[in-house]
Structure formats: C-alpha cells, structure tokens
Amino acid sequence: MKYSFLLIILLLTIVTGCRSEADRLTEFCIHFDQEVQASQDCHEMASRLGELLSPPQPHFRDMDLCEDTKACLPCKKAVRDMLRQCGYDPELRPVLDRMTFSKTLRKQMVSEEE
C-alpha cells in the first residue's frame, strides 16, 4: 500500500514534469479566456486578469508556439473578446503592460485596433 502511494506520486511528478511549453501555454490561455468570459465589466476583468498574472507567468512571447501549434487559440479568442468588451480601457492598461504577447497575438491586437 505504501509503495503504491509512492508510485502514484512518482508517476504524477513525471507526468507533470514532462509537460511541454505548448501544454503550459494552452493551460494559461484557457484560464485567461475563462477569466475574460467570467467578468461582468472592465474593472472586474482587470482585477481577474491581474490575479491570473500574479505571480508572473512564463514568457512564451518569442517562441513560435502560436504559429506552430494551436496552443494560443484560447488566448486569441480571449484577446478579441477583451478588446471587444473593453477596448483599451485605462483599467486594463496595467494588465496589458504586464502581459507578454506572442508575435502572433501582437499582430492580432494591432489588426483589431485598426
């Protein structure tokens, strides 16, 4: 019994330790989208996203993950929804300044702005 418990812990450690950058990015993007969708207004959205970004998240910005995988799809959707709901609301400015967008998401934000 004791050994089976240790084996389970070891297997979980191995599985979570083998997560790829794409897996971590996808998980972050899903949480990001959930927080945007759960927000009732721009103030609440800024607060929720501020909490999500603290502690600072891993930096994926210069990786090609968004171009080579589907990991960024939830983030792209969340960014579109965030901009559609709040635009560049001053309350979101600190959140936007702390976020590290991939090149693909930056292009998306610029095209949404025009």
Side-chain angles (χ1 to χ4, degrees):
M1 180 71 170
K2 183 162 96 173
Y3 292 110
S4 63
F5 182 69
L6 291 174
L7 182 61
I8 291 171
I9 290 175
L10 178 63
L11 288 174
L12 287 175
T13 304
I14 291 170
V15 169
T16 57
C18 292
R19 292 175 53 210
S20 70
E21 294 291 306
D23 293 336
R24 287 192 289 259
L25 179 58
T26 302
E27 182 181 9
F28 169 78
C29 286
I30 289 170
H31 291 300
F32 178 71
D33 185 47
Q34 288 171 342
E35 295 301 335
V36 168
Q37 300 310 317
S39 301
Q40 300 296 315
D41 57 34
C42 297
H43 174 74
E44 183 182 357
M45 187 182 301
S47 176
R48 285 175 172 270
L49 294 176
E51 288 177 23
L52 179 65
L53 294 170
S54 294
Q57 300 299 311
H59 296 272
F60 302 101
R61 127 184 181 202
D62 295 323
M63 300 177 144
D64 292 328
L65 286 173
C66 291
E67 295 172 12
D68 298 340
T69 69
K70 295 182 180 188
C72 290
L73 291 179
C75 278
K76 288 180 183 181
K77 177 186 175 301
V79 167
R80 282 194 306 272
D81 292 346
M82 179 178 67
L83 293 175
R84 185 175 36 255
Q85 291 175 31
C86 296
Y88 290 93
D89 187 283
E91 289 197 55
L92 280 176
R93 177 53 47 199
V95 171
L96 292 172
D97 289 344
R98 285 184 15 207
M99 293 179 73
T100 55
F101 294 109
S102 69
K103 294 173 208 161
T104 307
L105 280 176
R106 279 187 199 281
K107 289 176 193 171
Q108 176 108 25
M109 289 181 70
V110 169
S111 66
E112 293 279 339
E113 192 176 280
E114 296 172 348

